[in-house]
């Protein structure tokens, strides 16, 4: 079998849809819009085998019905969210086998209460570990807490941070530069962050996505994976002096980001 290729498909203003294929068959993740997916399938002459959904928001499921009707693709999605039916509902530690590789499902509530992520630990067909995490972890940031609690999101992000350092982080939005602006306000003495911000500025100037990122990079630069570090804790204390416990520090950091311009 052929090794797998990963393609980033921009959609709307700042979404990324993900397509993985072996030259004949493909899967897509979070197809908020069917149009750019169908164009890519046609261009590469691919048959859509499956659709993986991370959560129920329209910019992640808007193209599901059209793609399923056109291709007969099998749809996987979270157990407890409203997703266009029929969908095979998957949850913690379930395995999704597509294109000859296995994804382990992780429940990562916070952005929505049923949000899931799909993790492939690496194999002959795709040696680099691969994470599709929707709107949970972004490069330099994390999703807003629309349905979940800070404690849930902190636990979800900690589980993602425990994945192998070389894991490709395939998140669903190009929010990196605005996230890094906030990150620098919080963790401005972090040399890795300063260097990464300069790198991402250059990427965007050339019109190149900053995504996928890597877990190892995010652990060095993302304040939401670093809310336990001395630098981030000291900054959060300036914002909210009453935040001492880990969950409270994380909650204060998220609230600070919500109000940051
Ligand atoms: Zn969302
Ligand atoms: Fe989204």
């Amino acid at each position: 079998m052929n090794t797998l290729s990963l393609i980033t498909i921009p959609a709307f203003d700042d979404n990324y849809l993900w397509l993985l294929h072996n030259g004949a068959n493909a899967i897509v993740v979070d197809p908020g819009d069917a149009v750019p997916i169908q164009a890519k399938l046609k261009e590469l002459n691919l048959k859509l085998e499956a659709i993986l959904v991370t959560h129920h928001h329209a910019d992640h499921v808007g193209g599901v019905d059209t793609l399923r009707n056109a291709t007969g693709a099998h749809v996987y999605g979270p157990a407890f969210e409203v997703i266009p039916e029929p969908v095979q509902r998957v949850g913690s530690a379930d395995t999704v086998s597509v294109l000859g590789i296995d994804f382990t499902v992780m429940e990562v509530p916070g952005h929505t209460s049923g949000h899931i992520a799909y993790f492939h630990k690496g194999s002959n067909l795709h040696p680099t570990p691969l994470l599709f995490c929707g709107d949970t972890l972004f490069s330099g940031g994390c999703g807003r807490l629309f349905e979940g609690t800070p404690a849930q999101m902190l636990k979800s992000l900690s589980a993602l941070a425990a994945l192998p350092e070389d894991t490709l982080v395939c998140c669903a939005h190009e929010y990196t530069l605005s996230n890094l602006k906030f990150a620098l306000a919080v963790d401005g003495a972090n040399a890795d962050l300063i260097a990464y911000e300069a790198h991402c500025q250059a990427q965007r100037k050339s019109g190149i996505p900053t995504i996928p990122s890597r877990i190892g990079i995010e652990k060095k630069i993302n304040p939401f994976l670093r809310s336990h570090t001395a630098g981030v804790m000291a900054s959060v204390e300036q914002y909210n002096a009453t935040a001492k416990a880990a969950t409270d520090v994380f909650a204060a950091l998220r609230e600070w980001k919500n109000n940051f311009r």
Side-chain angles (χ1 to χ4, degrees), residues 1-117:
M1 241 196 268
N2 289 334
T3 54
L4 303 181
S5 304
L6 179 67
I7 299 178
T8 314
I9 301 178
F12 310 118
D13 287 341
D14 54 29
N15 280 73
Y16 290 133
L17 320 180
W18 296 95
L19 189 148
L20 190 67
H21 74 91
N22 61 14
N25 298 298
I27 65 162
V28 292
V29 184
D30 285 353
D33 187 359
V35 173
I37 302 280
Q38 286 177 310
K40 188 57 77 177
L41 292 171
K42 194 171 173 203
E43 177 195 329
L44 299 178
N45 194 22
L46 300 169
K47 181 182 179 333
L48 189 65
E49 169 181 319
I51 299 169
L52 277 52
V53 173
T54 64
H55 68 293
H56 68 86
H57 286 158
D59 62 316
H60 299 252
V61 301
V64 167
D65 280 335
T66 301
L67 289 171
R68 179 186 16 232
N69 292 341
T71 66
H74 192 80
V75 182
Y76 298 89
F80 308 111
E81 296 197 352
V82 178
I83 306 287
E85 299 279 356
V87 51
Q88 181 174 340
R89 297 188 176 273
V90 291
S92 195
D94 282 348
T95 298
V96 170
S97 299
V98 286
L99 301 173
I101 67 171
D102 289 343
F103 286 91
T104 302
V105 177
M106 303 171 73
E107 290 182 4
V108 287
H111 177 67
T112 64
S113 56
H115 201 302
I116 58 174

Side-chain angles (χ1 to χ4, degrees), residues 106-111 115 117 131 133-145 149-163 169 171 215 218-219 222-228 250-251 253-254:
M106 303 171 73
E107 290 182 4
V108 287
H111 177 67
H115 201 302
L131 173 70
C133 56
D135 290 353
T136 300
L137 174 64
F138 295 126
S139 187
C142 72
R144 281 177 184 265
L145 304 182
T149 64
Q152 284 180 316
M153 187 57 126
L154 180 58
K155 192 175 170 210
S156 297
L157 292 176
S158 300
L160 298 182
L163 296 174
V169 177
C171 58
I215 288 291
E218 294 307 312
K219 281 160 71 177
N222 189 324
F224 293 93
L225 300 185
R226 298 172 57 78
S227 60
H228 60 283
F250 182 84
L253 182 66
R254 184 60 253 184

